[in-house]
Amino acid sequence: MFAYTWDLDERPLGAVADEVVGLGLNTITLATSYHAGKFLRPRGKTGKVYFPEDGTAYFRHDPARYGALQPAANSIMAKRDILGELCELESVATQAWLVLMHNSRLGMLHPESCVRNAFGDRLIYNLCPSAPEARDYAVALCKDVTDSYPVAGISLETPGFLPSVHGYHHEFALVRQNRWLDNHLGLCFCDHCLAGARKAGIDAEGLRAQVCADVESALDSDFDLPDDMAEAMWLADSRTDGVLAAFLAWRCDVVTSLVAEIRDAVRDDATVAIIPSVARPSGGAWYEGSDLRALAEAAGIIEACFYEGSAERVRADAWDVQRRMRGAGHLRGILRAAFPDLQGADVVAAAVSGLRDAGIEDIAFYNYGHFRQQSLDWIGAAMNQTRS
């Protein structure tokens, strides 16, 4: 069960662990480094709406392990260490859930380590996985947690390049968004990406100028691209433009190499699972630099978000992820037993059964604090039924 520290802070941890075990689950995956948000908590004890502190760490980190990019301790840490308390429980395993390159707090402090689009705009919510100081931070964060706590493993979210549209605070435009425009605006041409691509024989500077010209032309026009046309245009550009295709493939190498560094740095008995994408369905992960097979080989585990509205779509996405992994590594699945995804006991049970029929035995749910009681009931019925 994925969970937020602030939700567990208002409950007896032993009771939460017993509740999770009663649902047929055996692990709590705790947000240990997380971004800002505004969250509705149906079962909240001390309030129903919560605003997490942006880009903070929910564990006792060692500043000496880090370079220019330093974690900031969340204020909860002043009174208790929930990750440490969870690790002391024998009834459930504990995993640390770390958001890596999505950190607006660090991005604002260190814009030189952020993604820079073709126009020179810094996307401060996305640390660039090519930037050496950002990479050092990500590796140090993972090693710090696994050295300091007896967690069973770590689940890593946003190890790569984020899309241009990512729900930033009051994100707004009076131009219709589309995949062609968004994907071009999200490409990184920072000095580190330009240098790395150049070393790989890719004319990234020429590509940057081309992207600028194309996007400028689109924004200067008096029409918006319909979704189907924008989709076709992006697919055509990414297939027929050899430089763009090579650049996108190179981005996957950047992310894979970072994950390999992390796997080498953390202790051997701690698992490393990669949550490869914020895209739905999972087939779109490649834009973020997530080559599923390569990441599975580098880390050992892919933890895919099967955030779909029906059991059929969950099964289809799982089939595609397994196909892309080509037998490499191990696949876990994450489901949401609530709006806007799986709604109803029968639907949740069918999705769980579908994953198990596909050989996916490790199934988690997002997120403890977001669920109504009925969602927990659906999860318990589904997980205990499939184990009977």
Side-chain angles (χ1 to χ4, degrees):
M1 176 70 75
F2 280 74
Y4 293 128
T5 307
W6 53 86
D7 288 319
L8 301 195
D9 183 39
E10 62 183 20
R11 289 173 163 83
L13 290 187
V16 173
D18 291 344
E19 184 180 16
V20 168
V21 171
L23 298 177
L25 305 172
N26 60 11
T27 303
I28 294 176
T29 302
L30 185 71
T32 309
S33 176
Y34 206 71
H35 51 73
K38 176 187 176 184
F39 299 124
L40 178 63
R41 309 185 309 138
R43 296 175 299 112
K45 301 292 188 183
T46 58
K48 298 302 183 184
V49 178
Y50 191 83
F51 293 86
E53 299 162 24
D54 195 7
T56 54
Y58 298 82
F59 72 102
R60 301 204 187 284
H61 69 279
D62 178 2
R65 293 177 179 266
Y66 300 87
L69 276 65
Q70 289 270 341
N74 188 273
S75 60
I76 292 175
M77 297 304 302
K79 62 178 181 178
R80 63 187 299 196
D81 180 2
I82 293 179
L83 180 64
E85 293 175 33
L86 275 179
C87 288
E88 293 176 357
L89 299 179
E90 296 182 356
S91 54
V92 291
T94 301
Q95 294 187 148
W97 167 25
L98 300 167
V99 175
L100 296 182
M101 295 301 171
H102 180 27
N103 193 312
S104 299
R105 186 192 67 83
L106 285 176
M108 293 183 74
L109 291 172
H110 302 277
E112 71 284 354
S113 292
C114 291
V115 165
R116 185 179 71 195
N117 71 13
F119 294 92
D121 308 316
R122 291 288 185 177
L123 307 185
I124 61 162
Y125 56 83
N126 190 183
L127 300 174
C128 178
S130 291
E133 291 181 343
R135 293 174 71 94
D136 290 346
Y137 161 77
V139 174
L141 190 73
C142 297
K143 181 171 174 55
D144 195 359
V145 171
T146 54
D147 283 354
S148 304
Y149 295 81
V151 293
I154 53 178
S155 292
L156 306 182
E157 185 179 348
T158 62
F161 301 92
L162 291 168
S164 174
V165 176
H166 192 60
Y168 192 73
H169 182 58
H170 284 189
E171 191 164 348
F172 186 73
L174 289 177
V175 174
R176 181 177 178 179
Q177 306 295 111
N178 61 72
R179 192 179 181 201
W180 181 90
L181 178 63
D182 294 342
N183 282 0
H184 278 87
L185 281 174
L187 293 173
C188 184
F189 295 98
C190 71
D191 291 344
H192 308 293
C193 282
L194 290 175
R198 188 183 308 117
K199 186 176 180 181
I202 301 168
D203 182 15
E205 186 57 56
L207 178 62
R208 186 201 66 79
Q210 176 183 300
V211 168
C212 276
D214 287 349
V215 171
E216 193 78 65
S217 175
L219 293 177
D220 282 346
S221 70
D222 58 359
F223 56 83
D224 291 320
L225 295 177
D227 289 342
D228 61 334
M229 295 181 72
E231 176 76 15
M233 292 173 187
W234 170 250
L235 290 176
D237 285 356
S238 62
R239 302 303 188 275
T240 61
D241 186 326
V243 177
L244 176 59
F247 187 63
L248 291 169
W250 171 81
R251 282 158 51 104
C252 290
D253 294 339
V254 169
V255 177
T256 301
S257 67
L258 173 59
V259 168
E261 286 184 40
I262 291 171
R263 176 62 275 183
D264 288 343
V266 304
R267 55 182 166 81
D268 290 342
D269 64 339
T271 61
V272 176
I274 304 301
I275 301 172
S277 180
V278 299
R280 302 275 70 78
S282 303
W286 59 272
Y287 176 79
E288 298 162 54
S290 290
D291 178 327
L292 297 183
R293 180 174 183 177
L295 290 176
E297 291 173 341
I301 302 171
I302 296 294
E303 197 159 19
C305 299
F306 297 126
Y307 295 168
E308 299 291 349
S310 71
E312 290 75 16
R313 288 185 63 88
V314 168
R315 291 171 57 207
D317 201 18
W319 171 82
D320 184 51
V321 172
Q322 288 177 315
R323 183 176 67 91
R324 294 180 189 281
M325 289 173 65
R326 300 295 183 192
H330 178 75
L331 178 59
R332 297 174 179 168
I334 311 172
L335 299 173
R336 295 192 300 198
F339 174 87
D341 293 347
L342 306 173
Q343 301 175 62
D346 291 346
V347 179
V348 175
V352 169
S353 295
L355 291 182
R356 292 199 181 279
D357 289 345
I360 302 171
E361 294 291 333
D362 293 337
I363 300 172
F365 292 87
Y366 173 92
N367 177 288
Y368 180 80
H370 287 316
F371 286 143
R372 288 171 164 167
Q373 183 59 48
Q374 69 173 359
S375 293
L376 297 178
D377 294 341
W378 296 341
I379 292 168
M383 295 300 294
N384 289 313
Q385 175 182 332
T386 57
R387 292 182 185 278
S388 62

